[in-house]
Amino acid sequence: MGVTDPAGPVMDRDEVDRALARLGQEHEAIETSLLALQDHAGRRLLEGAELTGVTQERWQATEARITLLWSYFDAYTAALRGARDIRARRRWSSREDLAELTELLRGTSVAVPDPGNGRLSEILSLAELVDRMNELYATSLDLVVAADAVWSALPARIDLLSAELQRTRQLAHSVGVRPGEHPAGDDLERITRTLTRLREDVIRDPLAFWVPARGSSAPGGGRPDTTVYDREARALEDVRREIDAVLTVRQDAEARLIRLRDVLSRADRTLAEARTARGEVLAKIAATEVPVVSGPPTVLQEQLATAAEYRRGAQWHRLSPLLESLEQKAEDELLRAREQLTAVTAPLAVRAELRGRLDAYKAKVARHGLAEDPFLVERYDAARRMLWSAPCDLRVAEQAVLRYQRAAAELLSAAPEDRKGDQ
């Protein structure tokens, strides 16, 4: 939209003709802009919508501005028509005509409505009138474009997300993820309510979801506020991941249950082996503290039975966390059983080590031709009787082995050099 020239001295005919031509072009541009505003999709939606909140308040004010804008344009049109009529009186305008045209084109001569100051009308120049129209047009267009931008962006995105939400709800229901039974089911209900309310709010009050651009003077400068939408989209994605996890459980539940039974069975067998070994240790080893072996964990077996029941009942949302917990507990139980077996059989391992050490030293002295030494034979027989008798006192047996080692070492150190091949 254009701006007229400032007032000046009486115009000549050429100046008048140039001014009328410019004003005609300006009039056409203003009319085109006003018609475009009138036909703007955003304005038509605003007229037909049941608005609330800030949008209702601002649209009422904007409707009044648009009405005033058309009144200004009508006054502008009448002034231009009057100027053209004066110019058309004569081919060569008189001095009086030129003065009148100068006053009309550059002076303060156009009466327009003045609703803002309590007066029926005020007198403006064409330049001032165009400035007023420019301001009213920019303000009105800014609101219309902002509302249209929100309506163009958010409802469609909300509808797409709602469709995705519906598909997710159906999938969740098929795997037992329902409100009141699983947190993801409750989340789906909350997301549904939020999106429904968000769409209603966007339709009724789009300007509440508009963030103006800082420092921008262009109409519609800004962006739709998608904060709530983005939050719910992320929440729906989290629910989808949870449902995917439940679906994975449904696909491999039987294999995981079989692995769980195997791990718990190995733990039970290990504990049984530890209990048997404890009886053997108590019978064969004397003066030794042997730890008590605990029984199989009945709680894990009960939970395993519950997991199998969940699988038969297709309660995948309950089976998923139970399987994860059971898998960790089963591995811990197997490790505990192995540790108990190791602790129980430690005395037998010590006895085996002492037996091996005794026989190793006997073989060593035999290589040096000292196997028949009476002193060594006596020490060896004493240690062997202790290690191969039941119950075996490990502390006494260890001392006997050490005595045999020391005796063998003394004889080996005293033997001739040519008999110390391995020393």
Side-chain angles (χ1 to χ4, degrees):
M1 301 177 76
V3 179
T4 59
D5 293 334
V10 175
M11 304 166 66
D12 59 26
R13 285 188 297 272
D14 290 338
E15 289 177 320
V16 167
D17 290 341
R18 286 194 298 270
L20 287 174
R22 183 174 63 253
L23 290 173
Q25 294 173 353
E26 189 174 67
H27 178 273
E28 183 178 349
I30 294 173
E31 185 178 31
T32 300
S33 298
L34 291 178
L35 292 175
L37 176 62
Q38 193 72 13
D39 292 336
H40 198 287
R43 191 200 63 80
R44 293 198 301 271
L45 289 172
L46 284 165
E47 281 189 340
E50 296 181 5
L51 302 176
T52 60
V54 63
T55 305
Q56 181 186 37
E57 180 182 344
R58 291 183 58 187
W59 174 240
Q60 288 176 348
T62 299
E63 279 190 306
R65 283 195 295 269
I66 293 176
T67 300
L68 184 61
L69 181 57
W70 277 105
S71 297
Y72 284 174
F73 179 71
D74 290 341
Y76 181 85
T77 302
L80 178 60
R81 184 184 304 112
R84 285 172 172 170
D85 289 343
I86 295 172
R87 179 64 183 88
R89 291 175 186 170
R90 303 176 182 84
R91 181 178 181 184
W92 303 101
S93 299
S94 65
R95 178 72 179 177
E96 292 76 11
D97 290 342
L98 292 176
E100 186 177 357
L101 285 169
T102 301
E103 176 62 23
L104 182 58
L105 296 177
R106 291 184 175 176
T108 304
S109 59
V110 184
V112 296
D114 185 21
N117 295 318
R119 297 175 299 184
L120 293 178
S121 64
E122 62 176 327
I123 307 301
L124 301 175
S125 67
L126 285 177
E128 292 171 336
L129 181 56
V130 170
D131 289 340
R132 290 279 185 90
M133 286 192 290
N134 280 335
E135 181 181 353
L136 290 172
Y137 175 80
T139 305
S140 302
L141 182 62
D142 181 72
L143 182 141
V144 169
V145 171
D148 185 55
V150 173
W151 277 331
S152 298
L154 273 176
R157 296 174 68 178
I158 294 171
D159 289 343
L160 289 174
L161 189 61
S162 296
E164 180 65 22
L165 173 63
Q166 183 60 30
R167 288 191 292 270
T168 304
R169 283 167 59 92
Q170 294 173 353
L171 183 61
H173 191 273
S174 70
V175 296
V177 176
R178 299 180 178 89
E181 298 180 6
H182 192 282
D186 297 333
D187 289 340
L188 286 175
E189 287 298 302
R190 184 195 58 76
I191 295 170
T192 300
R193 291 192 301 268
T194 302
L195 288 182
T196 300
R197 185 172 59 252
L198 177 62
R199 195 181 193 285
E200 292 175 355
D201 292 344
V202 167
I203 294 300
R204 293 176 177 271
D205 192 6
L207 295 182
F209 299 88
W210 180 253
V211 181
R214 293 182 178 179
S216 174
S217 58
R223 61 175 179 80
D225 182 1
T226 61
T227 303
V228 177
Y229 169 87
D230 294 338
R231 184 189 66 210
E232 299 308 313
R234 289 191 298 268
L236 180 58
E237 182 60 28
D238 291 340
V239 172
R240 282 190 57 83
R241 283 195 292 267
E242 177 66 22
I243 294 173
D244 288 342
V246 174
L247 286 171
T248 301
V249 171
R250 183 173 68 176
Q251 292 168 358
D252 60 9
E254 182 60 27
R256 292 174 71 179
L257 285 172
I258 291 174
R259 286 196 297 270
L260 272 172
R261 294 189 185 99
D262 178 64
V263 172
L264 290 177
S265 177
R266 280 187 287 158
D268 290 346
R269 291 196 301 270
T270 303
L271 287 176
E273 183 180 352
R275 285 190 292 272
T276 301
R278 185 175 188 273
E280 180 182 353
V281 169
L282 291 174
K284 295 181 177 181
I285 307 298
T288 300
E289 293 294 333
V290 184
V292 177
V293 180
S294 63
T298 58
V299 174
L300 293 186
Q301 293 295 341
E302 292 172 356
Q303 290 180 346
L304 183 60
T306 301
E309 185 63 29
Y310 284 163
R311 180 184 177 277
R312 285 191 293 271
Q315 299 184 56
W316 311 112
H317 62 292
R318 293 180 176 176
L319 180 60
S320 176
L322 182 56
L323 280 180
E324 291 180 5
S325 173
L326 270 174
E327 285 167 344
Q328 183 59 53
K329 291 177 180 178
E331 291 294 336
D332 293 342
E333 178 60 24
L334 179 58
L335 178 61
R336 185 181 68 86
R338 288 170 174 170
E339 290 173 346
Q340 290 195 59
L341 177 60
T342 300
V344 165
T345 57
L348 294 177
V350 172
R351 188 185 67 170
E353 191 274 332
L354 290 173
R355 285 177 173 181
R357 196 193 314 171
L358 181 64
D359 289 342
Y361 266 87
K362 181 183 179 183
K364 185 174 184 179
V365 297
R367 288 196 301 271
H368 289 80
L370 299 175
E372 302 302 324
D373 184 270
F375 183 68
L376 285 180
V377 170
E378 179 186 355
R379 292 288 176 90
Y380 174 80
D381 289 342
R384 193 177 191 285
R385 280 194 303 273
M386 293 178 187
L387 286 171
W388 268 266
S389 63
C392 172
D393 190 326
L394 290 178
R395 289 186 291 271
V396 176
E398 184 179 14
Q399 292 302 317
V401 172
L402 289 174
R403 285 195 297 270
Y404 177 73
Q405 287 181 234
R406 286 194 292 267
E410 291 174 359
L411 286 177
L412 289 172
S413 63
E417 291 296 330
D418 58 354
R419 295 170 59 189
K420 297 181 179 179
D422 276 348
Q423 192 170 356

